[in-house]
Amino acid sequence: MKRVVLAASLFAGLALLYVPVPASADDDDVVDYRRHLMSALNEHAAALGQILSGAAPDADAAVHIEAIALTASVALKAFEAKVPGGQSRPEVWSNWADFSKRMNEFASETADVAKLAQTKGNDAALASAAGALTCKGCHDVYRQEKK
Amino acid sequence: MKRVVLAASLFAGLALLYVPVPASADDDDVVDYRRHLMSALNEHAAALGQILSGAAPDADAAVHIEAIALTASVALKAFEAKVPGGQSRPEVWSNWADFSKRMNEFASETADVAKLAQTKGNDAALASAAGALTCKGCHDVYRQEKK
């Protein structure tokens, strides 16, 4: 009898192994942080889009360009921990070489535009900003649309 | 008969005057731009909150602090045009002296913290960041909650 109970406990234990483990608090933190970074980028890019279309003041261009460059400089690091979730597709990690190359390009191109804003002013920076903000190219491959 | 038609047209014309005029495209732009600015602040502040609670890397603190200071430096200007809408309460404009004073303090305090991040590093800046990010004080008075 004792042996049966033991076996049953063992099976119960094994069965537990198959229960999908909910994301830990730490994993939630990682996903939340990525979301804050990407949403901040999104808001600054939308503001810049308004400036480019004449719907918001040109004088604010450098603010958004610099905020984008700053945020882009830490964005890749936030994806290094392989924590699926949020709007990230699994391809972020299965195509890591391509994903990280593109994120590094994004960081370096936006840093160049921010430098242009500081040295040559808003008009010069705005002329290059659209070229550096090719968000869609990556989002099409690596971002899941919200359901 | 002609006179009746004329009178009817006149009434129709006057009646049209009472139809609430929808916000113009320009007004929508103003509200949209404010929303992008405040949402960007919100995302950076949330990221900073995660850093303060140990849920995101300390090393990123300066990025968010600087992005907040940059965005805060142009935020008040976006409310100067008296365009009600979005989450702004009418008190923004009826208490303009207080609202603009608080927004200027927000800009100057976050600029000080950004300077601290550049000169003394992240730890010193983080110690002062919470004091400068007293968002709730203003939001309670000037922000309408989303329905």
Side-chain angles (χ1 to χ4, degrees):
Chain A
M1 181 63 190
K2 231 180 192 173
R3 206 183 283 173
V4 173
V5 172
L6 199 72
S9 311
L10 192 64
F11 269 110
L14 285 174
L16 276 177
L17 286 179
Y18 286 97
V19 174
V21 179
S24 69
D26 282 353
D27 283 357
D28 288 346
D29 288 340
V30 169
V31 174
D32 280 350
Y33 189 62
R34 287 196 314 238
R35 205 192 310 265
H36 292 314
L37 288 174
M38 301 312 281
S39 297
L41 286 171
N42 204 37
E43 297 296 339
H44 290 298
L48 214 47
Q50 283 196 283
I51 293 170
L52 284 165
S53 74
D58 274 18
D60 292 3
V63 160
H64 299 294
I65 289 169
E66 285 181 42
I68 287 171
L70 284 164
T71 310
S73 75
V74 298
L76 177 61
K77 200 178 55 183
F79 289 87
E80 279 174 2
K82 190 180 172 177
V83 180
Q87 288 185 257
S88 304
R89 291 190 197 222
E91 284 78 2
V92 165
W93 297 278
S94 60
N95 298 346
W96 183 257
D98 177 65
F99 178 79
S100 57
K101 182 172 160 279
R102 291 198 199 196
M103 287 290 267
N104 282 325
E105 283 168 0
F106 172 55
S108 106
E109 283 168 22
T110 52
D112 287 346
V113 182
K115 206 169 289 170
L116 213 54
Q118 279 161 359
T119 56
K120 309 248 168 172
N122 280 335
D123 288 351
L126 278 171
S128 304
L133 289 173
T134 52
C135 312
K136 193 177 178 302
C138 273
H139 286 167
D140 283 351
V141 186
Y142 294 112
R143 186 175 73 166
Q144 224 145 4
E145 289 314 307
K146 280 181 193 162
K147 273 152 216 159
Chain B
M1 181 63 188
K2 229 178 191 170
R3 207 182 284 172
V4 172
V5 172
L6 200 71
S9 309
L10 192 63
F11 270 109
L14 284 174
L16 276 176
L17 286 180
Y18 286 97
V19 173
V21 179
S24 70
D26 283 351
D27 283 357
D28 288 346
D29 289 340
V30 169
V31 175
D32 280 350
Y33 189 61
R34 286 198 312 239
R35 204 193 312 265
H36 292 313
L37 288 174
M38 300 313 281
S39 298
L41 286 171
N42 202 39
E43 297 297 339
H44 290 297
L48 213 47
Q50 283 196 285
I51 293 171
L52 283 165
S53 74
D58 275 17
D60 291 4
V63 160
H64 299 294
I65 288 169
E66 286 182 40
I68 287 171
L70 283 163
T71 310
S73 74
V74 298
L76 176 60
K77 200 177 56 182
F79 289 87
E80 279 175 1
K82 189 179 172 179
V83 181
Q87 288 184 258
S88 303
R89 290 190 197 222
E91 283 79 1
V92 166
W93 297 280
S94 60
N95 298 346
W96 182 256
D98 177 67
F99 179 78
S100 57
K101 182 173 160 278
R102 292 199 198 195
M103 286 289 266
N104 282 325
E105 281 167 3
F106 173 55
S108 107
E109 283 168 22
T110 52
D112 287 346
V113 182
K115 207 169 288 169
L116 213 55
Q118 280 160 359
T119 55
K120 309 247 168 169
N122 279 336
D123 288 350
L126 277 172
S128 305
L133 289 172
T134 51
C135 312
K136 193 177 176 302
C138 274
H139 287 168
D140 283 349
V141 186
Y142 295 112
R143 186 175 73 168
Q144 225 144 6
E145 290 314 306
K146 280 182 194 162
K147 275 151 215 163

